[in-house]
Amino acid sequence: MNPGEMMRALVREVYGNPDVLRIAEVPKPCPGPGELLVKVHAASVAKADWEILRGKPVWVKLSGFGLFRPKAKILGYNFAGRVEGVGPEVSRFNLGDEIFGDTLLHGLGAFAEWLCVPQDAAITTRPPGLSPEAAACLPESGLIALQALRDHVDLQPGQRVLINGAGGGTGTLAIQLAKIRGTEVTAVDHTAKFDRLRALGADHVLDFMHADFNLPDDRYDLILDIVGVGSLRRWRRSLRAGGVYLTVGGSIGYLLKTLLLGGVSRLCRGKRVRVFALRHNVPDLVQLADLALRGEVTPVIDRRYTLDQTAEAISYVGAGRSIGKLVITP
């Protein structure tokens, strides 16, 4: 690690649309105490990358990403790569280790050739049988799907799950995880994604343009709302007694309404209305990698891009057109 070395990265100086992004030569990072220098082999694009780029919705600026100007010039946080340098006090990893995880809570920076990440971030060793591209798709999307289906309702074989926004990175993994539990899955998304959703195991598919108004008469044990849209009261009416509505996304107003409604929903035959809170942790990453190695879940990769094409990839995700994940290979 020579001082003054440069690397290529996708950078921005202000909040805005993808046209504020550019590829630039920037100083290669140097690991500090407890940090790893990682050669990035693959990164995946998340819906949050689109939101962090634009500074919208308002939670982005209120969550420490910068109130008026972005603090992080380099976006991207889901990655897989190799440890090429270690700072003082590093004990968890060694030079040459293949790792994957996310840096969302530690300054972003994955859309670049090199990345510095704290050893205590949500990162773990990548098993040899798991490709860097597949591993880069697991950290956030897989954690949301795993925790939503495992920690909020005790799903049993034969129970019914509805996934709203099932065609994205989280939804495609949630379908597979729900089928492992033997549940009956209804997937809601754009009609263009129906064939892929059925191939992943969805028992029923609904057009998102009409799902909020024409839900079937039968009820669900879990409604996982990844996009956070629609009538909360309608979603609650579509729950069975003891069922759970869990929203992952949505506007600040929608999330506040969910919290308020959740306070009284238990009076309605024990139905629960909740806002999902992601827990970044290593054991769940290890479990996801194990599931992927056994072939029980397979990250869906819609398209692959080079670092130079990352702005195009972020635009594609922002438009909601992707099926599964988009992967960047620097």
Side-chain angles (χ1 to χ4, degrees):
M1 296 174 289
N2 299 319
E5 282 190 81
M6 304 295 284
M7 69 171 185
R8 298 175 71 249
L10 184 76
V11 303
R12 52 84 184 264
E13 305 290 339
V14 297
Y15 289 118
N17 291 319
D19 56 7
V20 305
L21 295 166
R22 61 186 175 87
I23 297 293
E25 292 279 336
V26 300
K28 181 178 173 181
C30 187
E35 290 186 333
L36 312 172
L37 175 66
V38 178
K39 174 63 176 174
V40 179
H41 290 158
S44 67
V45 183
K47 180 65 178 295
D49 289 310
W50 168 256
E51 296 170 340
I52 295 169
L53 167 65
R54 299 170 69 241
K56 299 177 182 178
V58 70
W59 71 262
V60 172
K61 295 181 178 180
L62 298 178
S63 298
F65 290 103
L67 192 57
F68 301 106
R69 296 178 67 87
K71 292 181 179 180
K73 292 185 177 181
I74 304 173
L75 298 178
Y77 57 94
N78 297 303
F79 76 95
R82 184 175 60 248
V83 178
E84 297 287 2
V86 297
E89 304 171 18
V90 169
S91 57
R92 281 187 60 202
F93 299 96
N94 299 303
L95 291 176
D97 283 351
E98 297 285 347
I99 64 173
F100 75 101
D102 81 68
T103 68
L104 183 62
L105 304 181
H106 302 278
L108 311 179
F111 295 155
E113 293 177 319
W114 297 84
L115 166 72
C116 265
V117 60
Q119 67 169 349
D120 57 358
I123 55 176
T124 190
T125 304
R126 176 176 64 83
L130 185 65
S131 73
E133 291 184 344
C137 295
L138 291 176
E140 182 188 48
S141 294
L143 289 176
I144 293 172
L146 179 69
Q147 293 172 16
L149 293 167
R150 182 194 63 196
D151 300 343
H152 295 270
V153 60
D154 183 21
L155 287 174
Q156 301 296 320
Q159 291 188 315
R160 307 187 73 248
V161 174
L162 182 142
I163 303 170
N164 187 33
T170 299
T172 51
L173 288 169
I175 291 172
Q176 298 173 71
L177 290 169
K179 293 306 296 181
I180 290 174
R181 292 174 173 265
T183 63
E184 181 181 334
V185 177
T186 297
V188 182
D189 213 301
H190 194 280
T191 54
K193 303 180 183 183
F194 279 7
D195 289 344
R196 193 61 180 269
L197 298 178
R198 291 189 182 97
L200 289 171
D203 301 285
H204 314 283
V205 290
L206 293 175
D207 181 357
F208 80 100
M209 291 294 292
H210 306 291
D212 193 40
F213 305 99
N214 296 304
L215 287 172
D217 290 335
D218 36 21
R219 300 293 184 254
Y220 299 93
D221 300 281
L222 172 66
I223 296 175
L224 176 58
D225 190 354
I226 298 169
V227 292
V229 295
S231 165
L232 282 169
R233 286 182 171 80
R234 184 64 186 266
W235 287 128
R236 185 177 63 180
R237 287 199 300 270
S238 297
L239 290 172
R240 286 177 172 171
V244 177
Y245 168 85
L246 188 64
T247 184
V248 173
S251 66
I252 291 293
Y254 189 86
L255 296 176
L256 288 174
K257 285 193 294 184
T258 304
L259 290 170
L260 290 172
L261 185 60
V264 299
S265 288
R266 283 182 175 268
L267 301 176
C268 183
R269 302 179 66 189
K271 297 178 181 181
R272 290 167 287 169
V273 175
R274 293 178 173 176
V275 174
F276 176 84
L278 175 62
R279 292 182 295 104
H280 299 264
N281 69 90
V282 172
D284 283 351
L285 283 179
V286 173
Q287 182 178 352
L288 286 165
D290 184 57
L291 288 168
L293 280 174
R294 297 203 306 265
E296 295 188 49
V297 298
T298 301
V300 175
I301 299 176
D302 186 347
R303 298 185 179 188
R304 293 168 172 82
Y305 295 82
T306 65
L307 183 61
D308 301 81
Q309 299 169 319
T310 306
E312 177 186 342
I314 295 174
S315 296
Y316 192 72
V317 166
R321 294 181 290 174
S322 60
I323 303 176
K325 301 290 286 187
L326 306 183
V327 170
I328 309 298
T329 51

